[in-house]
Amino acid sequence: MYNNHGALTNIGCFGQEDLIGYIGSNHHGTRYYGELITYYYNIDFALHMKPAAATTKKIEKLDPVNDTHDEYKYLHVELCDCEQIHQCFRLYRRFIINDRIFHSLIYKKRGKSNSYFIQYSFDQRHYQFGSIQCFISLQSTEKSYALINVHRVQQKYSDYFKSTKYYDLLKKPLDNYFFVLEKRSCKKTIILIDYILKHCIVFNMSECIVATPVATHNEHD
Ligand SMILES: [Zn+2]
């Protein structure tokens, strides 16, 4: 079913409708809503955990910056030893990575779109988060990078549920879906495009950012 229909539980739609239907049809009796919810949440979790193939990403570079600002030139020094910065070093505002569009903060037409906030990982086990400042491409090495404003993980999302009865059951799926990040970026870092995993939906709270990675979604621009 997963393979035929894609992520059934993409942001939980299928699972939740199913769950609502099930609860709806059971409103005469069951008092086990908590168990049902955790049961479905864990199915959801299992489906999402299907390992993603880690391959070299297909990249399309959009919107080059013609007049590269001096503030970004230090990046070439960090990434490359060649002396032809003008031929070698290019900044881009948008990249299409494996058919998904990613914006950067220097792309001014992004409106309210959050498609510049991403989850990335060097080992597919430890996840990191941040906003894309810009994309970089080097001609001499043919490598592409993103400059990331890193937002560190502040605490586990499940910590908010420590006092509830279902903490043990919910802990794993909650911490897989939701990440509590520091509101302020602690540093900038350069990563290879291949380490970018997913867009995130971001909730700006007063003390933190809550980010939830998006598995699949439709692109508009
Ligand atoms: Zn170079």
Side-chain angles (χ1 to χ4, degrees):
M1 210 145 64
Y2 185 88
N3 287 326
N4 290 336
H5 301 286
L8 300 177
T9 49
N10 176 21
I11 331 184
C13 289
F14 190 97
Q16 275 164 21
E17 274 169 35
D18 190 20
L19 176 61
I20 290 162
Y22 192 68
I23 289 180
S25 64
N26 275 275
H27 64 93
H28 298 300
T30 188
R31 264 173 289 153
Y32 302 108
Y33 293 156
E35 280 76 2
L36 277 173
I37 289 166
T38 50
Y39 171 73
Y40 274 88
Y41 225 144
N42 280 296
I43 291 177
D44 211 41
F45 176 62
L47 287 171
H48 266 285
M49 287 305 281
K50 246 182 92 152
T55 50
T56 305
K57 308 243 153 108
K58 193 178 84 199
I59 302 168
E60 228 178 291
K61 303 163 195 172
L62 302 177
D63 291 337
V65 178
N66 291 322
D67 183 22
T68 307
H69 300 292
D70 287 341
E71 62 177 299
Y72 293 110
K73 284 189 177 153
Y74 76 96
L75 296 167
H76 180 257
V77 180
E78 280 189 35
L79 295 168
C80 186
D81 337 316
C82 91
E83 281 169 15
Q84 273 76 44
I85 179 167
H86 294 292
Q87 285 88 31
C88 178
F89 182 73
R90 285 274 174 282
L91 285 184
Y92 292 86
R93 297 180 178 92
R94 296 187 291 165
F95 263 22
I96 298 173
I97 305 167
N98 286 356
D99 300 323
R100 291 190 196 166
I101 193 142
F102 289 79
H103 295 158
S104 70
L105 290 167
I106 60 167
Y107 179 63
K108 295 302 176 200
K109 284 176 277 181
R110 65 196 143 78
K112 286 188 177 133
S113 142
N114 248 338
S115 53
Y116 55 88
F117 206 96
I118 54 141
Q119 180 190 46
Y120 63 99
S121 175
F122 301 115
D123 58 7
Q124 304 268 344
R125 285 176 57 235
H126 302 92
Y127 297 114
Q128 297 177 71
F129 300 85
S131 58
I132 301 170
Q133 183 63 36
C134 60
F135 295 101
I136 302 151
S137 184
L138 299 182
Q139 209 161 58
S140 62
T141 58
E142 294 182 353
K143 289 203 162 102
S144 294
Y145 304 86
L147 178 64
I148 306 288
N149 302 300
V150 180
H151 289 261
R152 263 198 306 243
V153 175
Q154 184 171 292
Q155 63 168 91
K156 287 201 160 102
Y157 187 71
S158 62
D159 290 352
Y160 293 130
F161 299 86
K162 259 189 177 146
S163 60
T164 72
K165 186 176 152 194
Y166 300 106
Y167 173 71
D168 288 336
L169 272 167
L170 286 173
K171 191 179 174 328
K172 214 175 158 189
L174 285 179
D175 290 337
N176 187 58
Y177 282 133
F178 297 101
F179 298 84
V180 183
L181 312 177
E182 290 176 359
K183 216 169 161 70
R184 288 173 62 108
S185 167
C186 61
K187 61 172 179 182
K188 283 191 163 63
T189 191
I190 304 166
I191 64 167
L192 271 173
I193 293 301
D194 293 346
Y195 296 127
I196 293 179
L197 296 179
K198 290 170 179 173
H199 287 120
C200 291
I201 295 172
V202 170
F203 303 93
N204 275 299
M205 316 306 265
S206 57
E207 302 292 320
C208 64
I209 293 171
V210 175
T212 182
V214 182
T216 53
H217 57 116
N218 299 319
E219 303 297 349
H220 301 291
D221 55 340

